[in-house]
Amino acid sequence: YSIMPVLAWGIATGLDLPTHFAVGLILVGCCPGGTASNLVSYIAKADVALSVVMTVCSTLAAVILTPVLTQLFAGTLVPVDTWMLFKQTLQVVILPVVLGVLLNRWVPQLVQRVMPVAPLLSVLGVCVICAVVFAANAETILTHGGELILAVALLHGGGFLIGYQFARVFGCQTQSARTISIEVGMQNSGLAIVLAKQAFPLLPLAPVVGAISVLMHSLVGSSLAALWRARSSRR
């Protein structure tokens, strides 16, 4: 919640992005870490326990920090309904977690049956959301594709790089630094899409940035994980 929001605002300002894309990028930067980061940390042979703890902490903090930071950075561009952001973040992030914990407590047998297909359903759900956004804004994406890809690549690439360097500066070992890099670089872009749709109805193109972000951080994170895994295997 320090590196990514500032980086998103800086990139949006430096590239002079149109307002709808700038707000979308800032939303991505203000969202919590993505849950896919746990799998990427596992593939990279990083510290999975640290990854899970960081994801949990950033997810719980999102209810307060995502609306507040969005107001701080995007509020200079457009009016921001902080209360709407708070309610949507609560519904999308916290309520499903609470429901999952309660189901695991009350009907563990059902949860065990669903678990094998749950990751696949989750991926398919995100793919459907992104496909809808891409289909609805295909012409705009083709027109501004280079600009959008550059902005999103700088955001996530910068997150991975700066996250790793900060961790090393503060004395973290290689395994922990890789974990922190992944947690900083990968965002809950699905949440950014939902928030952009609900909280900024007058900016219909804002969700496009979140959809591109889903693909970008997954590709960069997976590639980085494969590279780190190969290095660890050689050692």
Side-chain angles (χ1 to χ4, degrees), residues 30-52:
C30 294
C31 281
T35 52
S37 61
N38 305 145
L39 176 60
V40 172
S41 295
Y42 175 77
I43 295 172
K45 293 187 175 181
D47 191 335
V48 179
L50 175 60
S51 175
V52 172

Side-chain angles (χ1 to χ4, degrees), residues 96-112:
V97 173
V98 173
L99 180 60
V101 171
L102 294 177
L103 286 175
N104 193 49
R105 175 70 179 270
W106 292 338
V107 283
Q109 297 84 0
L110 175 62
V111 172
Q112 291 302 315

Side-chain angles (χ1 to χ4, degrees), residues 93-164:
V93 175
I94 301 301
L95 291 185
V97 173
V98 173
L99 180 60
V101 171
L102 294 177
L103 286 175
N104 193 49
R105 175 70 179 270
W106 292 338
V107 283
Q109 297 84 0
L110 175 62
V111 172
Q112 291 302 315
R113 292 176 184 174
V114 173
M115 281 300 293
V117 298
L120 176 61
L121 293 177
S122 175
V123 171
L124 289 176
V126 174
C127 288
V128 169
I129 292 173
C130 292
V132 170
V133 174
F134 286 140
N137 303 280
E139 185 176 346
T140 301
I141 293 173
L142 290 175
T143 303
H144 300 277
E147 184 179 34
L148 289 171
I149 291 173
L150 174 62
V152 175
L154 287 174
L155 176 63
H156 292 294
F160 284 112
L161 177 62
I162 298 173
Y164 184 86

